[in-house]
Amino acid sequence: MHDHSFDLFVIGGGSGGVRAARMAAQRGARVALAEAAALGGTCVNVGCIPKKLYSYAAHFAQDFHDAAGFGWDLQPPRLDWARLKANRAEEISRLNGVYLRLLAEPGVRILRGWARLTGPHAVEVRTGSGTHQFTARHILVATGGTPDVPTFPGCEHVVTSDSMFDLDPFPRRLLVVGGGYIACEFASIFNGLGARVTQLYRGEQVLRGFDDDIRAFLAAQTRKHGVDLRTHSDVRAIEKTADGLRAELLDGSTLMADTVLYATGRVPNVDGLGLDTVGVAQGKLGAIVVDEHYRSSVPSIHALGDVTARLQLTPVALGEAMVLVDHLFGTGQRRLGYDYVPTAVFTHPNIATVGFTESQARETFGAVTLFRSEFKPLKQTLGGSPERTFMKLVVDTASDRVVGLHMVGPDAGEVVQGFAVALKAGATKAMFDATVGIHPTAAEEFVTMREPSAS
């Protein structure tokens, strides 16, 4: 083991990389981690955390509106965009410090620079002080993903999600291109913050991969909130003018915007890693191919998280890191299941889901029984917003097991997290029916649906 500089060398200081480095060091391994950017990766710096902070900020606009129905008279609210950005930056800086301490306390050596593979056990790190060579018994690539923008006339004028948190000035007219969760979230957020938002998606319906009922319901709610959501629509070219960015669409029409966000997908962040040099096999879009132990085609080199393009979720990367460290430095008994992984989309209203969509369940189980419920949340009976909540259960008819649970509504992520435990444990619809609800809550609707809905 001591023939190498380190027992584990981690490339990438995001959620998965930091977790693997910290846990390995706590088990007594000699660990180094190389990261050129801020610690915490996409999630902490330009993803989950700042995105949800801005989602909270955007929700206040609706809260101010709803307050009148509850007897509150408020002065016209005004967003101080600069203050929001500064407060967010301060919180992210605090989290960067937390990640630094998490690595430093167990003794991880932190290398601030760009790393690339030079051999099965060799890494080169380019820092401000020069280029340094290291060897390691095991190497972990945890470099995450990066936004991908297609090439078209004027593509140099667009921004990606990485830039949305520090735009200057605030975009009064925002054009969002894309229909995935990132596009839908930023359309909702900036609409709530006061921008006039147009969202274009070339497909038939946004949020491909989610349950069809959820997709349709969210699209309708998005439009009710004021986003100009257009499907079967895309950009042909963008031109910079004195009045802003002029987007020419495929149908020949034009749109003017102050900022154009392209959120059309993310790809594994593999450029410059030297994967081809050492023979690491790659799949679609450059994703590193790994086995059940997160081992690449080169046995000493491992990969996890978004760079493998499996499930691109922070908690999944964290779980994979725990499994890998146990495999390399522990008993090897730990496992991570990729079924019934819950996820949330922080649109307005929120989406949360766990398990199979209706179409997936029909393909997997055959006969399914569906339960749906749509209602006005109690808060909006006085608040006055047209926003509604939608819930859906997908049940395997033969076993009575609940195999899919989906929600669009306030705090959907908080609600579905608890139900995810039940689905993972194999709960049946009869168990749901036997559970007493908490009244009055939206969550109780999941245990009070009795009449199956039409397929």
Side-chain angles (χ1 to χ4, degrees):
M1 182 179 291
H2 292 281
D3 293 340
H4 299 292
S5 310
F6 299 98
D7 303 319
L8 176 66
F9 195 105
V10 180
I11 303 176
S15 300
V18 169
R19 176 64 63 88
R22 178 168 68 96
M23 299 307 296
Q26 288 178 350
R27 289 174 179 257
R30 296 168 302 140
V31 182
L33 181 144
E35 174 59 72
L39 291 173
T42 296
C43 178
V44 168
N45 295 288
V46 290
C48 321
I49 301 302
K51 176 183 65 182
K52 192 164 186 185
L53 289 174
Y54 279 24
S55 179
Y56 284 137
H59 267 294
F60 278 106
Q62 185 65 52
D63 291 339
F64 294 144
H65 173 271
D66 294 345
F70 290 88
W72 289 93
D73 293 323
L74 303 175
Q75 295 295 325
R78 183 185 67 86
L79 172 68
D80 188 331
W81 175 238
R83 192 194 316 166
L84 173 60
K85 292 192 295 181
N87 290 345
R88 180 219 84 237
E90 182 178 355
E91 172 58 13
I92 299 308
S93 178
R94 185 189 71 82
L95 292 175
N96 295 149
V98 169
Y99 272 69
L100 179 61
R101 290 194 299 275
L102 288 174
L103 292 171
E105 286 173 358
V108 176
R109 181 175 176 183
I110 303 170
L111 300 163
R112 294 293 196 174
W114 297 93
R116 60 184 292 268
L117 301 166
T118 56
H121 295 276
V123 180
E124 177 182 276
V125 183
R126 179 165 44 89
T127 70
S129 62
T131 301
H132 310 273
Q133 310 292 334
F134 302 95
T135 62
R137 181 186 177 197
H138 304 288
I139 298 171
L140 169 62
V141 180
T143 49
T146 188
D148 182 48
V149 175
T151 301
F152 62 92
C155 63
E156 67 274 13
H157 300 306
V158 311
V159 301
T160 67
S161 57
D162 288 356
S163 303
M164 293 301 290
F165 303 104
D166 278 307
L167 293 174
D168 187 24
F170 181 84
R172 292 297 166 187
R173 301 167 297 178
L174 175 65
L175 173 59
V176 178
V177 182
Y181 73 93
I182 294 175
C184 292
E185 286 175 332
F186 277 112
S188 285
I189 288 168
F190 276 84
N191 176 68
L193 293 175
R196 188 167 74 247
V197 179
T198 302
Q199 182 181 356
L200 308 180
Y201 180 55
R202 64 185 179 182
E204 183 177 349
Q205 188 57 278
V206 294
L207 294 173
R208 182 167 56 89
F210 285 78
D211 186 88
D212 287 341
D213 283 340
I214 295 294
R215 299 169 70 191
F217 188 84
L218 188 279
Q221 295 295 304
T222 296
R223 292 184 176 108
K224 282 184 179 180
H225 276 282
V227 175
D228 181 7
L229 172 59
R230 308 181 189 182
T231 55
H232 301 293
S233 185
D234 204 354
V235 171
R236 175 180 285 126
I238 294 176
E239 178 187 4
K240 189 172 185 178
T241 74
D243 185 41
L245 299 176
R246 180 179 178 272
E248 179 187 351
L249 308 188
L250 293 181
D251 62 5
S253 64
T254 61
L255 283 172
M256 295 300 300
D258 300 308
T259 299
V260 178
L261 165 64
Y262 255 73
T264 51
R266 294 176 64 85
V267 296
N269 186 19
V270 295
D271 287 350
L273 286 177
L275 298 175
D276 52 345
T277 302
V278 297
V280 173
Q282 294 173 259
K284 186 178 179 182
L285 302 176
I288 298 176
V289 178
V290 295
D291 63 15
E292 67 273 17
H293 298 301
Y294 310 106
R295 181 173 49 203
S296 76
S297 58
V298 179
S300 58
I301 299 174
H302 299 75
L304 54 77
D306 289 5
V307 77
T308 66
R310 239 176 198 166
L311 281 179
Q312 297 179 336
L313 298 169
T314 295
V316 170
L318 294 173
E320 290 176 341
M322 299 292 288
V323 173
L324 176 64
V325 170
D326 183 59
H327 176 67
L328 296 180
F329 305 107
T331 64
Q333 300 301 307
R334 195 179 187 104
R335 295 288 185 272
L336 176 66
Y338 292 91
D339 58 338
Y340 298 102
V341 173
T343 188
V345 184
F346 295 103
T347 46
H348 299 177
N350 293 175
I351 297 171
T353 180
V354 60
F356 293 78
T357 67
E358 179 183 339
S359 60
Q360 291 169 342
R362 291 188 186 281
E363 185 176 331
T364 303
F365 303 103
V368 297
T369 306
L370 306 175
F371 298 83
R372 299 181 179 93
S373 180
E374 180 185 333
F375 55 92
K376 175 182 282 191
L378 178 61
K379 180 180 178 182
Q380 297 310 334
T381 60
L382 298 186
S385 168
E387 184 177 295
R388 296 179 67 80
T389 290
F390 177 80
M391 294 178 170
K392 180 175 181 178
L393 292 176
V394 183
V395 179
D396 172 23
T397 305
S399 67
D400 195 45
R401 180 178 179 180
V402 180
V403 296
L405 185 146
H406 312 275
M407 176 178 176
V408 182
D411 299 315
E414 306 291 344
V415 172
V416 171
Q417 177 67 82
F419 282 105
V421 178
L423 265 66
K424 188 74 173 177
T428 63
K429 183 60 170 64
M431 293 176 182
F432 271 57
D433 294 344
T435 300
V436 176
I438 300 174
H439 185 74
T441 65
E444 69 177 313
E445 194 73 13
F446 276 125
V447 297
T448 58
M449 295 188 212
R450 296 291 187 268
E451 295 298 324
S453 56
S455 299

